[in-house]
Amino acid sequence: MIKINENYLLLQPSYLFVDIAKRVRKFQEEHPEKKIIKLGIGDVTLPLPQACIQALHKAVDEMAKAETFKGYGPEQGYAFLREKIAQFDFKNRGIDIEPDEVFISDGAKCDTGNFQELFAQDIKIAVPDPVYPVYVDTNVMAGRAGQLVKGEYSNIIYLRSTKENNYIPDLPASKVDLIYLCFPNNPTGATIDQQELKKWVNYALENKALILYDAAYEAFIQDQNIPHSIFEVPGAKQVAVEFRSFSKTAGFTGTRCAYTIVPKECTAYTQEGSPVNVHQLWMRRQNTKFNGVSYPVQRAAEAVYSPEGQKQIKTNVQYYLNNARIMRETIAQLGLHCVGGKNSPYVWVECQQDSWKFFDLLLNQAGIVCTPGAGFGKSGQGYIRLSAFNSLDNVQEAMEKIKQVL
Amino acid sequence: MIKINENYLLLQPSYLFVDIAKRVRKFQEEHPEKKIIKLGIGDVTLPLPQACIQALHKAVDEMAKAETFKGYGPEQGYAFLREKIAQFDFKNRGIDIEPDEVFISDGAKCDTGNFQELFAQDIKIAVPDPVYPVYVDTNVMAGRAGQLVKGEYSNIIYLRSTKENNYIPDLPASKVDLIYLCFPNNPTGATIDQQELKKWVNYALENKALILYDAAYEAFIQDQNIPHSIFEVPGAKQVAVEFRSFSKTAGFTGTRCAYTIVPKECTAYTQEGSPVNVHQLWMRRQNTKFNGVSYPVQRAAEAVYSPEGQKQIKTNVQYYLNNARIMRETIAQLGLHCVGGKNSPYVWVECQQDSWKFFDLLLNQAGIVCTPGAGFGKSGQGYIRLSAFNSLDNVQEAMEKIKQVL
């Protein structure tokens, strides 16, 4: 008899964004005349940068001729892209990451979801709260999470990110082995400075823990004192893996390209305590279960690093940050507390009531879709997330409507 | 302490094609003047069909304008593609598969590798021998395979495919829960008729087992009596999942698009024997760990089903099948036994000596790269796989060289 992985039965009934989509669909069916402005899911709206479009066309033409056609590429990604990433995103910032420490993939969601496969089932994991649901759900599927008790899993250590700690969690009180961190944070938009980040790296070094550092929103960092990479912290290469993405950086949410840095020093251990190279484990995982990213897409990602590409993505990032500023200022005018929106496309708003109630209020009264904070975890209750990934017009219109409703 | 998944330590040292690449690189470094013809890895060589090229360019242009730009798509894939697949690959053949039973992905390697995640760790799995290594390695990583003893895993049931049974394995002698089948077969090129396939479906129905049916080479089927899908067999929708790919059908190995059919009737069970819907499990898995396939790539796949696309892919398939015919005839002239190459791009050659020795002989004496059968499992020993995915000129030249050497 083919038996299921019963860990799946421990998952919470539905995926956050699916729930939201259902409520929005219902509202639209009941009010087909009303305009809806989506400030919910973090999906970009500006078209792909011209440099990427040109690179895509060129690569497609290569696929049309036998002499330039590309079949299977390297599972790890093409060297032309890995070299650009190592140079621009790391070496140019004084961080020593080599091209062969870069793994190209079709998404940071896949990579942050898949990385836990490399580790034992009985490790202790810590996740931020509120949190991007993928970190938790993939560990539930793997049988690490324990039982669901009042919306939280018994074996997971939740790192509370609250107003009190400026949305930067304290180090865990008990020992943990695998730590998920995300800065600039999704969903709160909070950032971390080098000194705070150093505490985490030192914790990992002292406890032989590993940090999975999600830096998908790195491109939005503007302030000088905010680290762009965990590898800016000395010693981090032994104890951290970093996830990056072109999704938000260059509008690739529908084009699909991301990358993960697994330094060659990065170490995990056998049950007996013998060191094992995490880079080689991930390489083996990817060689076995992945077949590389579409060639034209890798060429498009490469174009992000051309002089025009760099200019174009910066213009787009500024466009979204201007939206975020408008949202932040409106929220402040309304006398509500918020965080984020300065080095992040997200504004995390304290709504002084139940998240889903506030979600329904904004949807039903103003036609605005946000993301209820409670969907990201217990500490998200009483908050909503606003996303700046929309047009300036829509953001301005949405803020006017919010002012009328609140 | 961050402990590794020690199942990784049970994996055989290296991935077959990585080993081959190393030997080829060594030969090239030592003999830079010698021409190498690669009949090894099953990678296509003809450019993408023009219909796909046009669709790619058009979709790239859509990505350049805000009004037509596409961000995140549905994890399951766009309806425009799922509808074409259901219609052309199934309904037109009298098979009742609905668009919402189709899941678009970036590769059959990923899907065949990931699907085992849905099942309990203590299920008994059966794999063909010889076999595409991904089926085995992903189960080793999941801890299902047991210990490696003389090149085989103690908990896996190997379904021997040999000259004696015409490369169609017999039903397992002991009970199994999850069965991997692949027809037209990789690596042997053997096919299965409806009556033989029915035995497997009936076995699965009787034993509440599940069949993972890899039909990545379906496009090469020419004979009328060979089923294109396992769902041609009555009852199969309850007990089978089918994997298809555009890689070999339309030259998408570097473009990346595949699909998996999970019928809504398909059933697995809890430990206590309650039925669970496999379609919903896979949906949840994909929603959590996958973010959909690149939009332009899905448009390119859709173009495969246009009248021009259908004509172009058929021309390409015939080109490769002609190569296969030449290889088969040469092998026969040399007095060697072979199978495949008629409804498959692969020719499986009995080499009457150790596979790797024969591999080295062909590489060193003729500059020809094949795939040693032993790399696919015990029953592959004494065989090599030749792939027809090359130019006609190269295939003819390679066959002339083989004749001189053997």
Side-chain angles (χ1 to χ4, degrees):
Chain A
M1 186 176 76
I2 177 73
K3 288 178 298 181
I4 64 157
N5 171 355
E6 296 206 4
N7 297 312
Y8 272 65
L9 304 179
L10 298 170
L11 286 164
Q12 290 190 273
S14 186
Y15 193 58
L16 173 60
F17 296 108
V18 177
D19 284 346
I20 295 173
K22 271 183 202 157
R23 291 191 194 214
V24 173
R25 210 161 35 234
K26 186 165 172 284
F27 176 78
Q28 276 177 316
E29 280 163 14
E30 289 167 4
H31 308 279
E33 77 292 355
K34 288 211 174 142
K35 178 176 178 179
I36 286 182
I37 299 178
K38 294 188 181 181
L39 305 177
I41 189 166
D43 195 1
V44 296
T45 53
L46 291 172
L48 278 189
Q50 264 305 314
C52 301
I53 294 290
Q54 284 163 13
L56 278 167
H57 279 308
K58 192 164 166 245
V60 169
D61 285 334
E62 287 181 61
M63 299 299 267
K65 294 187 204 82
E67 311 82 62
T68 50
F69 175 76
K70 297 282 185 301
Y72 289 120
E75 277 93 350
Q76 202 186 340
Y78 279 101
F80 64 73
L81 178 55
R82 291 186 286 105
E83 283 162 8
K84 287 286 190 328
I85 289 167
Q87 188 64 48
F88 280 76
D89 291 335
F90 297 96
K91 287 186 194 293
N92 287 0
R93 293 191 181 280
I95 310 163
D96 183 29
I97 291 293
E98 296 299 324
D100 61 355
E101 296 177 308
V102 180
F103 291 80
I104 310 299
S105 84
D106 64 327
K109 181 181 180 182
C110 311
D111 285 358
T112 54
N114 293 333
F115 215 87
Q116 48 76 31
E117 290 179 23
L118 303 188
F119 305 112
Q121 219 196 352
D122 63 347
I123 55 163
K124 198 82 183 172
I125 74 154
V127 300
D129 165 40
V131 68
Y132 176 50
V134 168
Y135 312 156
V136 175
D137 288 354
T138 53
N139 277 289
V140 174
M141 289 169 170
R144 278 189 203 97
Q147 295 302 314
L148 187 62
V149 184
K150 292 182 188 168
E152 295 199 332
Y153 291 93
S154 55
N155 281 347
I156 289 182
I157 303 291
Y158 291 88
L159 306 167
R160 312 294 176 188
S161 311
T162 62
K163 205 171 167 178
E164 288 66 41
N165 59 24
N166 279 315
Y167 308 95
I168 297 172
D170 302 326
L171 292 174
S174 59
K175 265 203 176 188
V176 300
D177 309 308
L178 186 65
I179 302 158
Y180 291 80
L181 292 178
C182 174
F183 290 107
N185 189 262
N186 176 16
T188 70
T191 53
I192 192 165
D193 67 20
Q194 173 125 6
Q195 214 163 355
E196 285 288 334
L197 193 52
K198 203 172 174 178
K199 284 185 199 168
W200 285 96
V201 171
N202 287 343
Y203 175 91
L205 286 165
E206 281 157 23
N207 293 282
K208 293 187 172 173
L210 187 80
I211 299 169
L212 299 183
Y213 193 73
D214 186 347
Y217 297 90
E218 175 273 338
F220 293 85
I221 295 174
Q222 305 293 306
D223 293 2
Q224 289 293 328
N225 66 327
I226 300 174
H228 288 250
S229 166
I230 194 168
F231 302 121
E232 293 182 32
V233 178
K237 284 163 78 177
Q238 276 170 260
V239 293
V241 166
E242 184 166 302
F243 304 95
R244 296 271 191 107
S245 173
F246 294 99
S247 284
K248 311 303 159 72
T249 307
F252 271 48
T253 52
T255 305
R256 313 298 321 139
C257 198
Y259 54 101
T260 293
I261 310 297
V262 191
K264 275 173 279 180
E265 292 99 309
C266 186
T267 305
Y269 303 88
T270 63
Q271 206 78 24
E272 282 75 36
S274 307
V276 178
N277 186 303
V278 175
H279 180 93
Q280 280 169 20
L281 283 184
W282 184 242
M283 179 79 87
R284 182 65 201 245
R285 194 269 170 210
Q286 293 298 81
N287 282 349
T288 305
K289 297 193 185 182
F290 185 59
N291 236 333
V293 170
S294 184
Y295 171 72
V297 171
Q298 292 193 60
R299 283 292 184 197
E302 183 194 23
V304 166
Y305 299 99
S306 66
E308 311 76 45
Q310 287 287 295
K311 224 162 78 182
Q312 290 157 5
I313 63 164
K314 273 173 195 140
T315 304
N316 290 2
V317 163
Q318 289 305 326
Y319 180 88
Y320 293 130
L321 284 174
N322 183 52
N323 289 347
R325 182 188 55 76
I326 294 167
M327 297 195 304
R328 229 175 48 229
E329 288 173 1
T330 306
I331 300 304
Q333 276 174 39
L334 291 167
L336 293 175
H337 160 80
C338 73
V339 65
K342 276 182 180 163
N343 298 281
S344 155
Y346 296 130
V347 183
W348 186 242
V349 184
E350 193 185 29
C351 49
Q352 302 182 324
Q353 58 181 291
D354 175 82
S355 292
W356 280 103
K357 266 194 192 150
F358 197 72
F359 170 91
D360 285 334
L361 181 137
L362 288 188
L363 177 61
N364 296 322
Q365 307 278 312
I368 289 164
V369 182
C370 66
T371 311
F376 295 107
K378 203 178 262 183
S379 298
Q381 181 50 277
Y383 288 85
I384 57 141
R385 186 189 76 176
L386 293 178
S387 153
F389 294 121
N390 211 314
S391 69
L392 175 59
D393 284 353
N394 275 341
V395 166
Q396 285 171 329
E397 186 180 337
M399 291 305 109
E400 286 313 309
K401 284 184 175 165
I402 283 186
K403 279 185 204 162
Q404 288 161 25
V405 168
L406 296 183
Chain B
M1 186 176 79
I2 177 74
K3 289 178 297 183
I4 65 158
N5 172 355
E6 296 206 3
N7 297 314
Y8 272 67
L9 304 179
L10 298 171
L11 287 164
Q12 289 189 274
S14 186
Y15 192 60
L16 173 62
F17 296 108
V18 177
D19 284 347
I20 294 173
K22 273 184 200 155
R23 291 192 193 210
V24 173
R25 210 160 37 235
K26 187 166 173 279
F27 177 78
Q28 275 177 317
E29 280 164 15
E30 289 168 5
H31 307 278
E33 78 291 355
K34 289 213 174 140
K35 178 176 177 179
I36 286 182
I37 299 177
K38 294 186 182 182
L39 305 177
I41 189 166
D43 195 0
V44 296
T45 51
L46 291 172
L48 279 188
Q50 264 305 311
C52 301
I53 294 291
Q54 284 163 13
L56 279 166
H57 279 307
K58 191 163 167 249
V60 169
D61 285 335
E62 287 181 59
M63 299 299 268
K65 295 186 205 82
E67 312 82 60
T68 50
F69 174 76
K70 296 284 184 302
Y72 290 120
E75 277 93 351
Q76 202 186 339
Y78 279 101
F80 64 73
L81 178 54
R82 290 186 287 104
E83 282 161 9
K84 288 285 191 328
I85 288 168
Q87 187 63 48
F88 280 77
D89 290 336
F90 297 96
K91 286 186 195 292
N92 287 359
R93 292 191 181 280
I95 310 163
D96 182 29
I97 291 292
E98 296 299 323
D100 63 353
E101 297 177 308
V102 180
F103 290 81
I104 310 299
S105 84
D106 65 326
K109 182 181 180 183
C110 312
D111 285 357
T112 55
N114 293 333
F115 217 87
Q116 47 76 32
E117 289 179 24
L118 303 189
F119 305 111
Q121 218 193 354
D122 63 348
I123 54 163
K124 198 82 184 174
I125 74 154
V127 300
D129 166 40
V131 68
Y132 177 49
V134 168
Y135 311 155
V136 175
D137 288 355
T138 53
N139 277 291
V140 174
M141 289 169 170
R144 278 191 202 95
Q147 296 301 315
L148 188 61
V149 184
K150 292 185 188 164
E152 296 198 334
Y153 290 93
S154 55
N155 281 346
I156 289 182
I157 302 291
Y158 291 88
L159 305 167
R160 312 295 176 188
S161 311
T162 61
K163 203 173 170 178
E164 288 67 39
N165 59 22
N166 279 317
Y167 307 96
I168 297 172
D170 301 325
L171 292 175
S174 58
K175 264 202 176 190
V176 299
D177 308 307
L178 186 66
I179 302 158
Y180 291 79
L181 291 179
C182 174
F183 291 105
N185 189 261
N186 175 15
T188 69
T191 53
I192 193 166
D193 66 22
Q194 173 125 1
Q195 214 164 356
E196 285 287 335
L197 193 52
K198 204 172 175 179
K199 285 185 198 167
W200 287 95
V201 171
N202 287 342
Y203 175 91
L205 286 166
E206 282 157 24
N207 294 281
K208 292 186 171 176
L210 187 79
I211 298 170
L212 298 182
Y213 193 74
D214 186 346
Y217 297 91
E218 175 272 339
F220 293 86
I221 295 174
Q222 305 294 305
D223 294 1
Q224 290 293 331
N225 66 327
I226 300 174
H228 287 252
S229 165
I230 193 167
F231 302 121
E232 294 183 31
V233 178
K237 284 162 81 178
Q238 276 171 259
V239 293
V241 165
E242 183 165 302
F243 303 96
R244 296 271 191 110
S245 173
F246 294 99
S247 284
K248 311 302 158 72
T249 307
F252 271 47
T253 53
T255 305
R256 314 297 320 137
C257 198
Y259 54 101
T260 293
I261 309 298
V262 191
K264 277 174 279 178
E265 292 100 307
C266 186
T267 305
Y269 303 87
T270 64
Q271 207 78 26
E272 283 75 36
S274 307
V276 179
N277 185 302
V278 174
H279 180 91
Q280 280 170 21
L281 283 183
W282 184 243
M283 179 79 87
R284 182 65 201 246
R285 194 268 169 209
Q286 292 298 82
N287 281 349
T288 305
K289 298 194 182 180
F290 185 58
N291 236 332
V293 170
S294 185
Y295 171 72
V297 171
Q298 292 193 60
R299 282 292 183 197
E302 183 195 22
V304 166
Y305 298 99
S306 66
E308 310 76 47
Q310 288 288 296
K311 221 161 81 180
Q312 290 157 6
I313 64 165
K314 274 174 195 143
T315 304
N316 289 1
V317 163
Q318 289 305 327
Y319 181 88
Y320 293 131
L321 283 174
N322 183 50
N323 289 346
R325 182 189 55 78
I326 294 167
M327 297 196 304
R328 230 174 49 230
E329 288 173 1
T330 306
I331 299 307
Q333 276 175 37
L334 291 167
L336 293 175
H337 160 81
C338 73
V339 65
K342 275 181 180 163
N343 298 282
S344 156
Y346 296 132
V347 183
W348 186 243
V349 183
E350 193 185 31
C351 50
Q352 302 181 326
Q353 59 180 291
D354 175 84
S355 292
W356 280 103
K357 265 194 191 149
F358 196 72
F359 170 91
D360 285 336
L361 181 138
L362 288 189
L363 177 61
N364 296 322
Q365 308 278 313
I368 289 164
V369 182
C370 65
T371 311
F376 295 105
K378 201 179 263 185
S379 298
Q381 180 53 276
Y383 288 84
I384 57 143
R385 187 189 74 177
L386 293 179
S387 154
F389 294 120
N390 212 314
S391 69
L392 176 60
D393 284 354
N394 275 340
V395 167
Q396 286 172 329
E397 186 180 337
M399 291 305 109
E400 287 310 311
K401 284 182 175 166
I402 283 186
K403 280 186 203 162
Q404 287 161 24
V405 168
L406 297 185

